[in-house]
Amino acid sequence: MSIPGPGGQGLQLTPFRGLRYVAERVGSLAAVTSPPYDVVVRPEGLRELETADPYNIVRLILPQAGTPEARNRQAAETLRRWQADGVLAPDPEPALYVYEQRDGPTLQRGLIGALRLSPREEGIVLPHEEVMPHVVEDRADLMRATAAHLEPLLLAYRGNGNGNGNGTSESGASESGAQGNGGSGNGAAGQGTGGAARVIERTILREPLLSTTTEDGVDHHLWRVTNPADLVEVATDLRHHQALIADGHHRWATYLRLREERREPGPWDFGLVLLVDTARYPLRVRAIHRLLRRLPPEQALPAVRQAFRVRTVDGPLPRALETLAEAAEAARAEPGAPNAFLLAGDGRFHLLDRPDPELLARTVPDERPEAWRTLDATVLQHTLLDQLWNVPDTPEHIGYLHDSAAAVEQAERLGGTAVLMHPVREDVVHELARQGIAMPHKSTSFGPKPATGLVLRSLTLG
């Protein structure tokens, strides 16, 4: 996705003074991190993170109190107290940050910075999913209260594509799990194609600003980039590119809403993001599953038997998911709708596929492209949830979980139904985004996602 934006300006990533944990004040850097707020499996995952360290970032991104106002006030007070106590401290000067994640053979590197906000019609940052207004309002209230961006969005762009981003590159990072002195210099030239890629390759040859390994076994490394020549090189490269929002649609919508509330130019014109060149470091695309809290399987299954082929399939869960994948792939090669779902919650797994074409024609809006009409998320929303099951899309009725095992476990515990999804193809996501067609919310989960808590952006810092 390479374009000149309006006036020749595409992506504009600017340095900022990162607000970071002081390693000596916390149990470990790993213990204060968290997945993104919408990935935390509540309540179990929330309690686990809260007890990992008294300063875990989850106390800011998911504060717990009796009312929304009290939650946001608590987060703001906690953020101020941690800064006053020296738990969080700003870096001495504005910087971009090179961020590396390594999970076995999977390697991802990108740049964290403050990205100038732009509306969809400018074609610089492309969303691919719809958002839920109540979630945007919730995140907006939290950002107003804290005057901070607590976790970066994940944005994908395509650079020149000639590099070692295939999981075989070697980093100069130490595995100390503590903070280094960071800094920024020119270093030795890497083997990339120039621009942001070359700056990243030079930067990782130095001692990292921090290194840690989180409980899931992923290594995280962060470097600071402050050299003026490096910053110019990055800016010159990125201005020719556009980006796809891979993860963080609600936070991006929140950024735009809060910017509109302010008439004067300032820090609210920018949002905290991680930019990844997917020509070098391809992202994984996974599904986001649904938890129907108040619909038990004994009600869900009879309602769909006349509209879908329904079969009970063998477990355990990994085997059932393989069956779902096989059914989804087979459906794409056959005439008709390529939709397949896996239902769970009663101790068994039920495969739904081959939906009735006439039912789809009646229930799925026909003004969108076929690629949108045949999405699993589209059919789930308009045919299953709205028509056959009559389930409102509210937090009381539907939960969105990235982990299939957690979705099944919660469904069985609550007496509800887990609807397990197969990932959408990445090329479909990009094509719809380029057309300006938004997929239903929570259609995809791109990753690896950045860990929350390694670097924050305060909008009150100079």
Side-chain angles (χ1 to χ4, degrees), residues 162-243:
N162 296 323
N164 295 323
N166 57 4
T168 60
S169 298
E170 290 304 320
S171 161
S174 73
E175 301 296 327
S176 62
Q179 290 177 298
N181 56 13
S184 179
N186 285 322
Q191 302 299 314
T193 58
R198 186 157 181 158
V199 170
I200 289 173
E201 289 175 352
R202 289 198 298 264
T203 301
I204 63 170
L205 298 178
R206 302 193 304 269
E207 185 73 12
L209 184 67
L210 66 85
S211 297
T212 191
T213 301
T214 45
E215 189 178 55
D216 56 6
V218 178
D219 297 325
H220 305 264
H221 309 290
L222 197 72
W223 294 261
R224 208 165 31 213
V225 180
T226 58
N227 181 281
D230 287 344
L231 297 175
V232 170
E233 190 170 355
V234 169
T236 302
D237 181 11
L238 293 181
R239 72 183 182 186
H240 300 294
H241 294 281
Q242 64 180 172

Side-chain angles (χ1 to χ4, degrees), residues 5 14 33 85 100 115 119 133 137 183 190 205 225 243 283 356 382 392 397 403 406 441:
T14 64
T33 63
D85 293 345
E100 176 185 286
L115 185 70
E137 188 59 42
L205 298 178
V225 180
L283 297 177
D356 177 8
H382 292 277
H397 289 86
D403 183 81
H441 54 258

